[in-house]
Amino acid sequence: MAKRAEKKKTEPALGEIAAPEWERILREMVLVRKFEEASEKAFRKGKIGGYLHVYSGQEAVVAGITSALRKDDIVYAGYRDHAHALLLGSDPKDVMAELYGKASGVSKGKGGSMHLFDVDRGLYGGYGIVGGHLPLAAGTAYSLRYSGTDRVCVCFFGDGAMNIGSFHEALNMAGLWGKRGMCPVIFVIENNGYAMGTSVDRHSAVTDLSARVEAYAIPSEKVDGQDTFAMRGVADRVISQVRMTGRPYCIEAITYRFSGHGAADLFQPYRSKEEVEESRHRDPILILSKRLREMTGLTDEDLQEMSDWADEEVAEAVRFAEEAEEPDPKELFEDVIALEPGREPDGDVSSPLHWGPRDEGGGEEDEEDEEAEDAEDVEAAASSEQAGDEEGEEE
């Protein structure tokens, strides 16, 4: 069993990261918050189909990690994935258009809120199936190392995903491959305290979630997910370590979501209003703003400028999404790996775009012909065997 990682330095000194970079990170976190608020409004107006999960309250987790990544690293996310796309650099207009189901969305309007995809910026998908992306992340990390690169893969998932079978399968393989330095993956548990409406102590027999990964020989540690400085400090150290060793690592970020599980979770009977209100005292944007006021001289005017800028960016994204074109209906058959009714694979089965037409003379007649040929082969073999036996007797 892996040892718990010793408590190490978790915060970079201000001098290690320039003040302008910290202010850029804060600016992007403000953008994410306002983007999420706008998407909730649009959902309630019926402009966003499917479903919607917002990230408000958890911004420090993704901001701290992604700001420490290289552009060629890879990120997987669960269904609460808007912040991941925005903080990796996806255009807010394209992300909002995806929520609206428009053709110019990052997934051509086919993915919606839970399935954002932007490979050019390192986002290999948000995934609506809980925990379904963990095996993909482990396999991706293996392929990165097998290809001789020093790139890393980061996989974000919620505390509820840890009770899914694919979690255990992925962690086991990552632990095994990691022993040979062949799995540079960082698992990030976004522990916001609730799996939908079920608290951690009601859905997990072991509430120390980061400790659970040690059963797979993967070291881990906890970090305050409301503190961007703490998240960035852990990210700098862990990403560098995983990039060098090729061994997996797990970070459990203790965080809190201010909104309900999804856009339809209005009454949140599983937690009190007092609890939610209390959590707002640890708003990651307020915490980082306070730190930057003290350390860089950030002013009220600076914060107002950030807020105004984010308002304009989000308003432009909403306008763009509302005016964007709907996808062409023929897009339903593009980028889909499936056989059309009445068609069978022909030639290169690895290329689903080249499925050939069904043979006109095929079907049941072909099967009958094959059965007849098989029967003839069996009969011929039996005759040959009998002839051989007779020759043997004669000898």
Side-chain angles (χ1 to χ4, degrees), residues 87-357:
L87 292 171
L88 285 170
S90 297
D91 191 320
K93 296 193 294 294
D94 297 337
V95 178
M96 188 63 81
E98 185 59 41
L99 270 55
Y100 273 66
K102 298 299 182 68
S104 55
V106 291
S107 303
K108 299 183 181 180
K110 299 175 183 176
S113 169
M114 293 190 277
H115 305 103
L116 304 179
F117 213 88
D118 195 343
V119 171
D120 290 342
R121 290 164 184 79
L123 179 60
Y124 276 48
Y127 289 81
I129 302 299
V130 175
H133 57 305
L134 273 73
L136 300 178
T140 297
Y142 182 90
S143 73
L144 294 176
R145 207 64 170 187
Y146 186 79
S147 302
T149 76
D150 67 344
R151 300 162 68 190
V152 302
C153 177
V154 179
C155 181
F156 293 89
F157 56 93
D159 48 279
M162 297 186 71
N163 303 319
I164 303 295
S166 59
F167 164 82
H168 300 281
E169 295 170 10
L171 271 287
N172 186 51
M173 293 309 299
L176 277 172
W177 291 333
K179 289 182 177 180
R180 293 184 285 124
M182 292 297 292
C183 199
V185 62
I186 300 158
F187 296 108
V188 180
I189 308 168
E190 297 170 302
N191 182 2
N192 61 25
Y194 295 94
M196 295 181 72
T198 307
S199 60
V200 170
D201 62 338
R202 294 183 63 204
H203 74 65
S204 179
V206 177
T207 55
D208 185 353
L209 301 185
S210 58
R212 290 173 60 181
V213 308
E214 296 165 22
Y216 301 107
I218 297 175
S220 66
E221 64 184 280
K222 295 179 187 292
V223 61
D224 181 355
Q226 302 304 94
D227 185 340
T228 314
F229 265 68
M231 286 301 309
R232 176 59 187 263
V234 169
D236 280 337
R237 171 168 46 80
V238 170
I239 291 171
S240 175
Q241 173 184 317
V242 171
R243 196 184 302 284
M244 179 178 66
T245 64
R247 297 176 180 274
Y249 201 92
C250 179
I251 298 169
E252 179 186 1
I254 309 299
T255 185
Y256 198 89
R257 56 171 160 78
F258 296 155
S259 297
H261 163 70
D265 182 18
L266 297 175
F267 302 108
Q268 306 174 41
Y270 50 87
R271 61 184 186 180
S272 66
K273 292 182 180 178
E274 291 74 19
E275 177 186 316
V276 177
E277 191 59 34
E278 180 65 23
S279 72
R280 290 186 180 276
H281 293 297
R282 301 215 69 239
D283 185 325
I285 292 177
L286 294 181
I287 291 174
L288 182 56
S289 299
K290 183 179 179 183
R291 294 288 294 272
L292 296 185
R293 282 176 185 274
E294 297 169 350
M295 302 178 77
T296 72
L298 190 74
T299 65
D300 288 341
E301 290 73 22
D302 294 329
L303 291 172
Q304 187 60 53
E305 185 275 328
M306 288 183 189
S307 178
D308 294 342
W309 167 81
D311 283 336
E312 292 178 9
E313 289 288 310
V314 171
E316 175 60 24
V318 171
R319 276 195 298 274
F320 177 82
E322 293 187 344
E323 296 171 0
E325 295 183 0
E326 300 283 349
D328 190 313
K330 71 179 182 182
E331 276 288 332
L332 286 171
F333 301 101
E334 298 293 334
D335 309 319
V336 176
I337 301 176
L339 285 172
E340 293 180 38
R343 298 172 74 91
E344 292 183 348
D346 178 30
D348 182 7
V349 295
S350 67
S351 178
L353 299 180
H354 294 88
W355 296 122

